[in-house]
Amino acid sequence: MDTALADRLAAVDARIHDAARAANRDPAGITRIVVTKFHPASLVVDLYDLGVRDVGENRQQELTAKRAELSGIPDLTWHFIGQAQTNKARAVRAAADAVHSVDRDRIADALDAAGGDAPLDVLLQVNLTDDTGRGGVAPAGVEALATHVAGLPSLRLRGVMAVAPLDEEPARAFERLRRSADAVRTVVSDAAWISAGMTGDFPEAIAMGATHLRIGSAITGPRPVRD
């Protein structure tokens, strides 16, 4: 067993516990997703042996390949957290248990049309910046998108996701995301997931109500160099 990996995981879990307690929250209500981008499938096996059950991937090709390679592991939950594309919706649907990046009607429609044996958990990605070129629905459009997704029979709307802007205090950005989460719950009352917080800002996300954290290098170590 990789003792350094175990130590990093334990250290992050301790920080999650401390941040939850500081926010008067139960740590058991927070799901830690380990992002394994660019790492081999063998790392996921090591993480599984350490008790990790939720892993995240940014790229459809990696998600598909790793899930196929690790098909014998029964209770892993695979989260797709990268930018979703309509032409890859079928492949994403086949490999993901949850998609965090639905930001427009067309993506939702493509994921729904891909079908599946069970409903697909989806979150609405919210753009917390003024840059319309970045991924995510504008906060003003969240309720309309939620209404559209709620009407698609094979999708299950779970909540919202966002990345905090680099030029702003994370807590302020996550407070705006919480308002978007409230808007979604006016459409689907039990859509309570808030996917927010990464290696550098997850304590602030926890303070603002995050239920799902997407943490990579603080646990996995540096990503391998890719050509």
Side-chain angles (χ1 to χ4, degrees):
M1 177 56 62
D2 184 341
T3 56
L5 178 66
D7 289 346
R8 290 192 298 268
L9 180 65
V12 167
D13 282 349
R15 291 178 62 199
I16 292 171
H17 186 278
D18 290 346
R21 291 302 187 198
N24 294 315
R25 296 183 58 195
D26 182 356
I30 299 171
T31 298
R32 177 248 299 123
I33 302 167
V34 181
V35 181
T36 57
K37 179 181 180 180
F38 295 163
H39 289 279
S42 59
L43 180 71
V44 179
V45 176
D46 290 342
L47 289 165
Y48 183 87
D49 290 342
L50 291 169
V52 170
R53 294 297 180 268
D54 289 85
V55 293
E57 288 294 335
N58 294 73
R59 300 169 69 248
Q60 173 268 312
Q61 295 93 329
E62 276 197 85
L63 172 68
T64 298
K66 287 178 185 174
R67 180 148 198 175
E69 185 172 345
L70 303 177
S71 60
I73 299 180
D75 54 347
L76 272 174
T77 298
W78 293 88
H79 300 258
F80 181 72
I81 60 176
Q83 200 63 42
Q85 300 175 15
T86 54
N87 64 340
K88 296 182 178 180
R90 187 169 297 277
V92 168
R93 175 82 193 242
D97 298 302
V99 175
H100 290 230
S101 49
V102 172
D103 61 359
R104 56 196 185 279
D105 291 356
R106 285 186 61 210
I107 292 294
D109 292 342
L111 289 168
D112 179 59
D117 295 332
L120 175 68
D121 289 335
V122 300
L123 295 92
L124 307 187
Q125 181 177 354
V126 181
N127 183 357
L128 298 178
T129 76
D130 294 326
D131 181 0
T132 58
R134 293 192 55 162
V137 60
V142 164
E143 190 170 337
L145 181 57
T147 300
H148 182 84
V149 172
L152 298 175
S154 76
L155 304 186
R156 180 164 51 195
L157 181 56
R158 287 295 203 175
V160 295
M161 180 274 265
V163 177
L166 294 176
D167 59 352
E168 181 181 6
E169 288 294 326
R172 289 182 58 193
F174 293 141
E175 186 175 17
R176 296 202 305 281
L177 180 62
R178 190 165 62 180
R179 291 199 291 270
S180 289
D182 292 341
V184 168
R185 285 196 296 273
T186 67
V187 179
V188 178
S189 60
D190 62 349
W193 293 12
I194 300 178
S195 172
M198 300 188 293
T199 292
D201 58 20
F202 69 80
E204 292 91 339
I206 289 171
M208 290 297 159
T211 62
H212 290 67
L213 313 175
R214 310 180 306 274
I215 302 175
S217 58
I219 294 172
T220 64
R223 290 173 181 156
V225 176
R226 298 291 293 262
D227 296 331

